[in-house]
Amino acid sequence: MGRRKNNRFGGLERWWGVLTAALLIAAWINSAAGPAVVIALSLATLAWCAFQAPVTCGAPVLNHDGGCRENAYGLLMGCYRHQHQWQKLKMVIWRRQMREFCSGLFTDGQKTIVTLAGIGSLLSGLVAFIPGLAL
């Protein structure tokens, strides 16, 4: 019989980025929230998407077209295998592998939602940071 973790939140601490994304949307709707609040929420949501969102690994694997199917944390991180973590990092850094990394961002529904949330939070932070950029 395996040991069970004593967790107060029942695993919800992995999903804190969804709360920051909802607060970011509310901050844009409520014009009373200043740009500092929008920028902070945008950065928090972007960090969650990049480093903690629960997605599949997707690192290149021999004899498997879709890549690694293990659970990973964030779009930039690999699964528990250290080699996959380095592969994902090299895919972002090396120009030749950037296309493969970008095409892997939209492979399934969960990665697509996290990718769109990250892009939206990045654009939101830029619009809030540059005052004349908002329409």
Side-chain angles (χ1 to χ4, degrees), residues 53-65:
V55 294
T56 55
C57 177
V61 178
L62 292 176
N63 302 326
H64 195 274
D65 292 335

Side-chain angles (χ1 to χ4, degrees), residues 27-128:
W28 275 109
I29 292 172
N30 183 4
S31 60
V37 173
V38 173
I39 291 171
L41 289 172
S42 297
L43 288 175
T45 305
L46 185 62
W48 178 78
C49 291
F51 300 111
Q52 200 171 6
V55 294
T56 55
C57 177
V61 178
L62 292 176
N63 302 326
H64 195 274
D65 292 335
C68 178
R69 299 298 299 165
E70 294 288 334
N71 293 331
Y73 294 101
L75 296 171
L76 297 180
M77 304 299 290
C79 62
Y80 65 93
R81 294 181 175 97
H82 292 290
Q83 183 64 29
H84 288 187
Q85 293 172 358
W86 283 110
Q87 283 176 339
K88 296 278 290 223
L89 182 63
K90 283 193 294 186
M91 287 172 73
V92 173
I93 293 173
W94 294 102
R95 188 175 63 121
R96 287 177 274 152
Q97 297 176 346
M98 182 60 92
R99 178 184 295 183
E100 185 179 347
F101 175 77
C102 291
S103 67
L105 295 177
F106 296 99
T107 55
D108 61 355
Q110 193 171 13
K111 274 191 173 180
T112 301
I113 290 172
V114 172
T115 301
L116 292 177
I119 291 170
S121 65
L122 177 67
L123 293 176
S124 169
L126 287 174
V127 168

Side-chain angles (χ1 to χ4, degrees), residues 5-11 13:
K5 288 183 180 180
N6 185 10
N7 193 352
R8 291 188 301 187
F9 299 110
E13 69 274 358

